[in-house]
């Protein structure tokens, strides 16, 4: 490549434009982030089914990571320091369940629980359990969100570890009250 070519702005040969971000159907993150998601295996299964081309790339990346040859080392360096930062970030934030209170109406509050799916918990089952346990409405309201119709936030610190022993009380983050 000549100096002029290197300095050239705009599209380059060999790169497909526009650079599009492909989102994973399993974890809903851009697929380059999948490997930092706890259910990476499921992401890969999704990729294999839906985006075989991308799956091949991921597979190659994985194999390079496991090997140790000079060639593979070079590849990894090429992939850049950006990836390292991402990895670090993820390590700092272990999976956890978050609970918060949100106003609903003048005097009522609801409790919002997020993060359960990170523990492989079926959200529908969990919502039903909360509904029975607190004798109130409880439903899945998002990809990883359950809303319980009532202010039961404080109780959840006992109820969740009791129901799912893998979730220690310390893994539950109290986000406090959501603003309107
Ligand atoms: Zn994914």
């Amino acid at each position: 490549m000549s100096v002029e070519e290197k300095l050239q702005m705009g599209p380059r040969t060999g790169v497909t434009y526009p650079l599009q971000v492909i989102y994973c159907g399993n974890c809903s993150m851009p697929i380059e982030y999948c490997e930092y998601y706890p259910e990476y295996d499921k992401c890969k299964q999704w990729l294999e089914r839906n985006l075989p081309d991308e799956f091949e790339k991921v597979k190659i990346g994985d194999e390079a990571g496991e090997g140790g040859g000079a060639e593979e080392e070079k590849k990894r360096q090429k992939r850049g320091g950006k990836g390292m930062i991402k990895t670090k970030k993820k390590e700092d934030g272990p999976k956890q369940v978050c609970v918060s209170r949100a106003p609903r109406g003048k005097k009522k509050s609801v409790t919002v629980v997020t993060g359960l799916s990170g523990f492989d918990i079926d959200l529908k089952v969990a919502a039903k359990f909360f509904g029975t346990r607190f004798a109130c409405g409880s439903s899945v309201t998002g990809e990883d969100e359950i809303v319980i119709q009532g202010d039961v936030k404080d109780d959840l610190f006992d109820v969740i570890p009791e129901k799912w022993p893998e979730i220690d009380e310390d893994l539950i983050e109290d986000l406090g009250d959501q603003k309107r």
Side-chain angles (χ1 to χ4, degrees), residues 23-95:
Y23 292 92
C24 170
N26 181 54
C27 66
S28 78
M29 299 288 282
I31 55 170
E32 65 209 279
Y33 289 88
C34 283
E35 60 181 299
Y36 309 114
Y37 189 68
E39 292 177 29
Y40 183 36
D41 282 341
K42 284 188 189 167
C43 293
K44 280 198 284 194
Q45 283 166 15
W46 183 89
L47 271 182
E48 192 173 14
R49 274 198 310 273
N50 298 280
L51 298 164
D53 287 351
E54 295 300 324
F55 176 70
E56 282 304 313
K57 282 187 217 164
V58 168
K59 228 170 60 178
I60 292 160
D62 274 4
E63 278 157 14
E66 282 158 22
E71 193 67 25
E72 279 150 4
E73 191 57 44
K74 243 186 252 166
K75 254 190 241 161
R76 225 181 313 176
Q77 281 169 3
K78 241 189 199 169
R79 276 160 42 149
K82 237 178 162 185
M84 300 295 286
I85 294 162
K86 271 186 253 160
T87 311
K88 193 124 190 271
K89 235 183 188 172
K90 196 69 194 180
E91 278 166 4
D92 290 341
K95 61 183 178 180

Side-chain angles (χ1 to χ4, degrees), residues 48 58 112 120 128 139 163:
E48 192 173 14
V58 168
V112 183
D120 276 336
K128 201 172 169 200
S139 52
K163 171 77 176 169

Side-chain angles (χ1 to χ4, degrees), residues 107-122:
K107 284 180 180 170
K108 284 185 181 164
S109 298
V110 298
T111 307
V112 183
V113 185
T114 58
L116 285 171
S117 64
F119 292 88
D120 276 336
I121 290 166
D122 187 323

